Amino acid sequence: MPVRALVVDPSASAAVRLAEVPDPVPGPTQVLVDVSHASLNYGDLNDARSGRVPVGAVLGSDAAGVVVQAAADGTGPAVGTQVVALTAGAFAARVAIDVGALAEVPKGVDLAEAAALPVAGVAALRSLRAAGLGPGKRVLVTGASGGVGRFAVQLAAQAGAHVIASVGSPARAEGLAATGADEVLIGLEGLQRPVDVVIDSVGGPQLVAAWNLLAPGGSVQSVGWTSGESAVFPPYATVGPAKSLTSFVIQGEVGEDLATLTELAAERALTVEIGWQGSWDRFDEAAEALRGRRISGKAVLELTSGELHVPVPSPQD
Ligand SMILES: NC(=O)c1ccc[n+]([C@@H]2O[C@H](COP(=O)([O-])OP(=O)(O)OC[C@H]3O[C@@H](n4cnc5c(N)ncnc54)[C@H](OP(=O)(O)O)[C@@H]3O)[C@@H](O)[C@H]2O)c1
């Protein structure tokens, strides 16, 4: 039986439309999951327009729901287990998911919160780890009001770092101090003392400015580039005591890191801020709000099972 899904369609207003796709056929190391919640990432919006997800293919990376068929090889969770996953084609009512790409959702975490964790949480966790996070380090998080940013601020604070959160406007600073930011700045205004780590999701001129603030031995993790602007380094900006600018992307199995994040959420050591939640029928609204920088934290789509409205051809067609 076909399942409902959000597929890429360049002619649609947000380049995505609800459609029916074939029922997924799981491989031997995959479970079948009925997805109830999915989160929308900035990267999904890029994927819908860049061709990285082909026209007609299902969009999305973050899904949470219930296992309805266990993996044929006997690994992974049993039928009825609530799980969260980072998987291609997440925006579908039923998805076949590798057991290494998911984690069980512990008691006390609801599926909307769980769905918000995968891409943003794993990116924050892994980029901080790659940067060599440690107690007493000065960590700058740019785009701190967004999905990756809010998780990075909290995880860095828990590791004992001094956390500097950079946002675009005063309104976007809301809640950051309460979740662990020692300083909250508009852009990089007033920041003079060097930092040891930069988790950058903005790129452009702010990346160049952050590089200039980086202490010898420090690390900039280039996680994203929401500014869409070029970064122009002045002559000799990269000549001097060793420090690094490292590209970042999520690769390989994420199950263990997802389990870490869901446990932290269950212990309330990680707050999942959901700034927008609604039916996937309202995808365009969520996409516009995310692009318009009006969502604090994450946008979560509810995969409601309403009827699919297929236009009925008129007699003259
Ligand atoms: N490499 C990876 O594996 C990986 C994984 C996850 C995400 N990413 C990338 O990381 C970036 C952030 O993702 P996200 O999901 O956290 O996005 P998000 O929730 O939309 O947050 C992005 C933040 O960037 C800031 N921003 C947006 N447009 C901006 C602009 N024109 N100039 C300056 N700042 C701007 C906004 O903060 P203010 O409104 O406060 O300025 C916003 O809160 C994206 O580029 C995404 O593709 C990469």
Side-chain angles (χ1 to χ4, degrees):
M1 226 178 56
V3 296
R4 294 181 91 207
L6 283 168
V7 301
V8 172
D9 176 358
S11 70
S13 55
V16 168
R17 70 181 160 85
L18 271 170
E20 287 191 334
V21 298
D23 210 0
V25 180
T29 59
Q30 291 186 317
V31 294
L32 272 186
V33 175
D34 274 3
V35 177
S36 62
H37 296 81
S39 90
L40 177 62
N41 291 288
Y42 199 94
D44 298 325
L45 300 180
N46 288 343
D47 288 348
R49 299 208 183 263
S50 67
R52 205 176 79 85
V53 175
V55 174
V58 180
L59 192 69
S61 314
D62 293 348
V66 177
V67 175
V68 291
Q69 186 179 311
D73 72 351
T75 60
V79 170
T81 310
Q82 293 199 328
V83 293
V84 56
L86 196 166
T87 185
F91 295 165
R94 179 166 289 181
V95 181
I97 301 176
D98 293 334
V99 297
L102 55 76
E104 290 188 23
V105 178
K107 279 200 176 61
V109 179
D110 67 38
L111 288 175
E113 286 177 302
L117 289 168
V119 167
V122 172
L125 188 68
R126 289 191 176 179
S127 59
L128 285 166
R129 203 183 275 153
L133 185 63
K137 294 227 170 159
R138 287 170 59 79
V139 175
L140 168 65
V141 178
T142 67
S145 54
V148 176
R150 283 188 183 265
F151 289 133
V153 164
Q154 295 183 66
L155 294 168
Q158 273 165 28
H162 177 92
V163 184
I164 303 150
S166 164
V167 297
S169 63
R172 304 288 282 154
E174 206 184 312
L176 284 168
T179 54
D182 298 285
E183 300 174 49
V184 185
L185 309 178
I186 311 305
L188 298 182
E189 230 169 81
L191 185 57
Q192 273 153 5
R193 276 187 58 200
V195 296
D196 304 298
V197 169
V198 180
I199 304 300
D200 180 54
S201 53
V202 171
Q206 210 173 92
L207 171 60
V208 178
W211 172 258
N212 289 332
L213 284 163
L214 194 66
S219 165
V220 176
Q221 296 288 314
S222 178
V223 175
W225 207 287
T226 51
S227 70
E229 293 178 70
S230 299
V232 180
F233 287 83
Y236 291 94
T238 56
V239 178
K243 54 186 190 177
S244 65
L245 167 57
T246 306
S247 47
F248 174 89
V249 74
I250 297 172
Q251 285 178 311
E253 291 204 342
V254 297
E256 264 183 44
D257 287 337
L258 265 182
T260 300
L261 292 163
T262 54
E263 286 305 329
L264 288 171
E267 293 159 10
R268 298 293 153 198
L270 189 66
T271 302
V272 181
E273 181 164 352
I274 298 175
W276 189 97
Q277 184 170 345
S279 166
W280 64 348
D281 295 337
R282 292 162 58 201
F283 179 89
D284 289 14
E285 180 189 318
E288 208 189 304
L290 195 67
R291 273 214 187 279
R293 301 158 79 172
R294 293 194 303 278
I295 295 179
S296 288
K298 296 290 303 170
V300 172
L301 303 167
E302 297 163 354
L303 277 64
T304 46
S305 56
E307 288 301 305
L308 188 62
H309 298 293
V310 179
V312 180
S314 61
Q316 63 267 33
D317 283 346

